[in-house]
């Protein structure tokens, strides 16, 4: 058996393995969607947070470095990672609580995978960064997908996002991540 036959055999084997892995990977998404449907869970959401060319520019006072920027006036969040290209990893609209955090620099001090908001709704991907008196300020998403404005009779500091955007923020913001609140 010559070296050409061995090389041809190895090449054919490698092509077969790559083809098998490609078929398995292609079916993994379909199997995951089928499993979610069988469990009665909603389909995997497509994040609405992909930075689009039309995404508003970062506020001038948003600082530098790895950070979450929240604009009180625009009710928008930006996720910024200067180690990546583009630096703007995501930008999305949010619904503020009935009380807004004062502009300034904060750090994520607490996270919860799930819980209940001050408006009594089930929430997930909670990322807390400030507290003022009895009002806790943080980002989160309602499990039911609601982003309706809060009851004005309640003092809430929860900043709500769509579920997919909440997942992006959760993945981006471990404890200690800087949060810049811009006017």
């Amino acid at each position: 058996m010559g070296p050409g036959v061995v090389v041809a055999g190895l090449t054919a084997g490698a092509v077969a393995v790559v083809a098998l892995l490609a078929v398995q990977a292609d079916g993994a998404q379909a199997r995951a969607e089928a499993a979610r449907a069988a469990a009665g869970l909603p389909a995997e959401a497509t994040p609405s947070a992909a930075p689009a060319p039309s995404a508003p520019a970062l506020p001038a006072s948003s600082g530098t470095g790895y950070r979450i920027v929240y604009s009180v006036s625009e009710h928008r969040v930006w996720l910024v990672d200067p180690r990546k290209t583009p630096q703007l990893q995501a930008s999305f609209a949010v619904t503020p609580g009935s009380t807004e955090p004062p502009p300034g620099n904060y750090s994520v001090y607490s996270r919860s995978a799930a819980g209940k908001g001050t408006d009594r709704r089930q929430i997930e991907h909670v990322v807390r960064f400030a507290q003022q008196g009895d009002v806790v300020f943080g980002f989160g998403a309602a499990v039911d997908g609601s982003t309706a404005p809060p009851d004005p009779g309640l003092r809430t500091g929860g900043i709500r996002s769509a579920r997919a955007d909440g997942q992006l923020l959760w993945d981006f913001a471990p404890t200690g991540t800087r949060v810049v609140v811009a006017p």
Side-chain angles (χ1 to χ4, degrees), residues 16-115:
V17 169
V18 169
L20 174 65
L21 292 174
V23 168
Q24 286 178 337
D26 188 45
Q29 180 70 25
R31 286 190 304 276
E33 289 171 10
R36 289 182 68 77
L41 298 172
E44 196 74 33
T46 301
S48 66
S54 61
L58 278 165
S61 59
S62 73
T64 60
Y66 189 93
R67 67 202 182 279
I68 299 167
V69 178
Y70 170 59
S71 170
V72 172
S73 61
E74 293 185 48
H75 299 148
R76 178 168 280 286
V77 167
W78 293 263
L79 306 179
V80 183
D81 184 349
R83 301 169 297 186
K84 295 188 177 176
T85 302
Q87 290 185 18
L88 178 59
Q89 294 296 292
S91 178
F92 46 89
V94 293
T95 302
S98 61
T99 304
E100 294 274 21
N105 290 298
Y106 304 91
S107 291
V108 172
Y109 70 84
S110 167
R111 294 166 30 108
S112 298

Side-chain angles (χ1 to χ4, degrees), residues 10-11 32 35 47 54 60 84 87 93 97 102 111 117-118 125 145 147 153 175 183:
L10 289 173
T11 302
S54 61
K84 295 188 177 176
Q87 290 185 18
R111 294 166 30 108
T118 52
H125 303 121
T147 57
T175 302

Side-chain angles (χ1 to χ4, degrees), residues 101-102 106-107 109 128-132 135-138:
Y106 304 91
S107 291
Y109 70 84
R128 296 174 198 87
F129 63 89
Q131 185 169 354
Q132 189 175 45
V135 177
V136 175
F137 297 102

